[in-house]
Amino acid sequence: MLLLGFILGLAVGIGFWIWQQVQLNRYLGRVLQPLTSRSKVALPLIPRLRQEIAMVKQQRQDWQQSLQTYQDLLDFVPIGYLQVDEENQLLWCNQQAREILYLQRWQPGQVRLLLELVRSYELDQLIEQTRDRQKSQTKEWIFHPSCDNAAEMPTIKSLTLRASSLPLPNGQVGVFLENRQPLLDTNQERDRSFSDLAHELRTPLTSIRLVAETLQPRLEPPLNRWVDRLMQEVDRLISLVQNWLELTQMEANPSIQLQTEAVDVRSLIASVWETLEPLAQRQHLSLQYSGPENLWIKADPARIYQVFLNLLDNSIKYSLPRTSIHIQAKILSKKDISRDNSTSPVLEINLIDSGVGFSQADLPHIFERFYRGDKARTHSSLSNNNSIGSIVGNGLGLAIVRQIAIAHGGSIKAMNHPETGGAWIQLQLPEVMANSQS
């Protein structure tokens, strides 16, 4: 009886074990069904499971190795990079970013709020905008580093940073950081050296001109023409030195002191054209104005006169003979003004000529100092005109025009007009006075 009970219990246990194996095989079959469709060799379930686990481990090792390679590359590049998660916690940054942002408190593997480590609300705002808009963003600002050690604070200098961000999956954001301070310091040192040189050149140039003035009435033709040529070249050098000093001063202090008053724009343009009309008559050029006649702005009349003198002088130089230079003036409505903080009407002046225009390569650099542009524009068919000769300039006029526009709170940009094919300069100035709209 005992033997019969033992045999019966053994049979029940073996049956239960077999039932469990069947159920396990069915479960593994369902789990591994996506994997079996890719496998060409049908293996038993347990060996197949072991094979898939080994493959997953190998893939994980490959991914970790690739990730480490990318991190090593980012550590090597001279640009900072950092990555944050959806809660703005710093996940990883390269060595350059740690140096730029003074991240001494952060160690690889730590996950901490970026704003807790870097007291830069501009960077935090850039990341939030990138995540919200799901578009790459660019921002430049002055970064004031913080330091736990008070003794080191006097040695830490502010930096001008430029950041470019991009949205990543799962709400993460990657940010590339560029330290622009060394470049700005180099440019400032260069400008300072040029300004010192310009100051030193003014005295000897003035002396040379005085000597030339003394010689001019004492020489008879044809010798006096050499003195005349010398006077022209000296005047050109004096103008270059003066323009350089003026431009350097305006760039160093964009909010230059302006002697603002009510300026009649139409009358000012007419006055500038009257000054340049002898040059325009050589080319048989005419000026056409369209816009309000009674147009007043609050501006520095001497500076605005300089703006139109430079712009119209360029148009005369580069226009084809027997063509017209067009000036179109209009007051923009609020919906047409691109600036969000604009509270007053804006005057837009479009100056269009019928010359050879700008090359596409030159357009981004038109307002840079000493940039002369494509030789095709400088020495076009005009050079064949004996009454004009070669065009002479120092490459500072448009740079000064831009700084004057900025000082008035305005802007300027260069284009090519689709109809005339010539240069198209668009100038915007605020502070339009109420009586101009009557």
Side-chain angles (χ1 to χ4, degrees):
M1 193 68 180
L2 291 175
L3 181 61
L4 181 61
F6 172 76
I7 293 173
L8 183 60
L10 180 62
V12 172
I14 292 174
F16 183 72
W17 178 81
I18 293 175
W19 179 82
Q20 281 187 326
Q21 293 299 311
V22 172
Q23 294 297 321
L24 178 60
N25 286 337
R26 288 179 179 176
Y27 174 74
L28 291 177
R30 291 195 302 269
V31 171
L32 298 177
Q33 185 176 3
L35 301 176
T36 57
S37 61
R38 297 178 305 186
S39 177
K40 296 182 179 179
V41 181
L43 297 176
L45 291 179
I46 298 300
R48 192 188 315 148
L49 179 61
R50 290 174 181 170
Q51 184 185 45
E52 295 295 336
I53 291 175
M55 291 175 58
V56 170
K57 287 183 178 180
Q58 183 62 41
Q59 288 179 351
R60 184 187 178 198
Q61 291 177 358
D62 293 341
W63 290 337
Q64 287 179 339
Q65 185 177 0
S66 298
L67 178 61
Q68 186 62 46
T69 300
Y70 294 143
Q71 290 180 348
D72 292 341
L73 287 173
L74 288 173
D75 268 330
F76 180 75
V77 298
I79 297 178
Y81 176 78
L82 61 88
Q83 189 169 327
V84 298
D85 62 10
E86 68 278 5
E87 297 179 353
N88 280 9
Q89 297 182 113
L90 181 61
L91 299 177
W92 187 84
C93 67
N94 66 354
Q95 181 62 34
Q96 190 71 12
R98 288 195 286 270
E99 294 176 1
I100 293 175
L101 300 175
Y102 291 86
L103 288 171
Q104 296 94 344
R105 294 180 293 172
W106 183 83
Q107 297 297 328
Q110 289 183 340
V111 179
R112 298 177 60 180
L113 280 174
L114 179 62
L115 193 58
E116 179 185 348
L117 297 168
V118 183
R119 300 289 181 174
S120 175
Y121 295 98
E122 294 87 355
L123 178 59
D124 194 66
Q125 184 182 29
L126 174 71
I127 293 172
E128 289 293 343
Q129 290 177 350
T130 305
R131 184 181 293 114
D132 294 341
R133 300 173 185 177
Q134 285 298 299
K135 290 177 61 177
S136 298
Q137 305 289 323
T138 302
K139 189 180 187 69
E140 185 170 319
W141 76 100
I142 298 178
F143 173 58
H144 305 283
S146 60
C147 183
D148 295 334
N149 189 350
E152 296 181 2
M153 286 300 296
T155 63
I156 298 178
K157 298 181 180 180
S158 299
L159 305 173
T160 300
L161 302 183
R162 175 182 289 174
S164 299
S165 59
L166 67 158
L168 300 175
N170 302 321
Q172 297 184 9
V173 175
V175 181
F176 289 93
L177 292 169
E178 178 187 359
N179 182 6
R180 294 181 52 79
Q181 197 60 46
L183 177 61
L184 295 177
D185 291 341
T186 301
N187 290 340
Q188 289 177 359
E189 183 63 29
R190 179 205 63 189
D191 293 343
R192 192 179 301 112
S193 300
F194 273 109
S195 297
D196 293 342
L197 177 61
H199 277 292
E200 294 298 325
L201 284 174
R202 282 201 299 184
T203 300
L205 287 174
T206 304
S207 300
I208 294 173
R209 196 182 195 288
L210 289 174
V211 172
E213 286 180 349
T214 304
L215 290 175
Q216 195 173 29
R218 300 184 181 184
L219 295 177
E220 299 293 334
L223 294 178
N224 62 346
R225 67 186 181 91
W226 297 107
V227 179
D228 295 340
R229 177 70 180 274
L230 176 62
M231 290 276 288
Q232 292 176 3
E233 295 300 323
V234 171
D235 287 340
R236 191 170 69 88
L237 288 175
I238 292 175
S239 175
L240 173 62
V241 169
Q242 186 61 36
N243 286 341
W244 176 269
L245 293 174
E246 183 180 9
L247 179 60
T248 303
Q249 181 183 8
M250 286 191 292
E251 288 184 343
N253 181 21
S255 58
I256 57 177
Q257 292 294 326
L258 300 175
Q259 305 298 323
T260 59
E261 59 182 72
V263 176
D264 183 352
V265 176
R266 181 70 181 92
S267 298
L268 186 139
I269 293 174
S271 177
V272 172
W273 182 255
E274 184 178 352
T275 302
L276 297 173
E277 196 167 13
L279 296 176
Q281 287 177 350
R282 299 179 187 177
Q283 288 273 82
H284 303 285
L285 300 174
S286 61
L287 179 68
Q288 294 186 2
Y289 173 86
S290 61
E293 292 293 330
N294 187 24
L295 188 58
W296 294 78
I297 62 172
K298 186 178 181 181
D300 187 323
R303 296 289 188 181
I304 296 299
Y305 185 94
Q306 187 177 5
V307 167
F308 286 106
L309 186 68
N310 281 329
L311 294 180
L312 284 172
D313 182 53
N314 278 343
S315 293
I316 290 173
K317 288 176 180 178
Y318 299 119
S319 288
L320 298 176
R322 293 178 175 81
T323 58
S324 297
I325 298 172
H326 301 267
I327 291 183
Q328 302 168 354
K330 63 179 179 179
I331 299 175
L332 300 180
S333 60
K334 290 186 177 181
K335 64 179 181 179
D336 296 327
I337 301 173
S338 58
R339 289 169 290 184
D340 297 333
N341 58 351
S342 179
T343 57
S344 62
V346 171
L347 169 64
E348 180 181 282
I349 295 179
N350 295 280
L351 193 149
I352 304 165
D353 63 44
S354 300
V356 294
F358 303 108
S359 71
Q360 292 300 318
D362 290 337
L363 280 175
H365 311 285
I366 294 301
F367 299 101
E368 294 179 4
R369 61 176 70 186
F370 291 127
Y371 191 83
R372 295 302 311 278
D374 189 355
K375 292 182 179 179
R377 177 167 167 83
T378 305
H379 302 288
S380 62
S381 59
L382 299 179
S383 60
N384 297 326
N385 189 332
N386 295 329
S387 64
I388 297 297
S390 61
I391 296 173
V392 179
N394 54 36
L396 293 177
L398 290 180
I400 292 175
V401 166
R402 180 180 65 174
Q403 289 301 320
I404 294 175
I406 292 174
H408 281 82
S411 63
I412 188 170
K413 63 180 179 179
M415 300 165 285
N416 288 321
H417 199 270
E419 295 180 6
T420 68
W424 176 11
I425 302 295
Q426 187 176 85
L427 174 67
Q428 291 187 356
L429 295 171
E431 302 294 336
V432 179
M433 303 184 69
N435 61 348
S436 67
Q437 304 177 48
S438 57

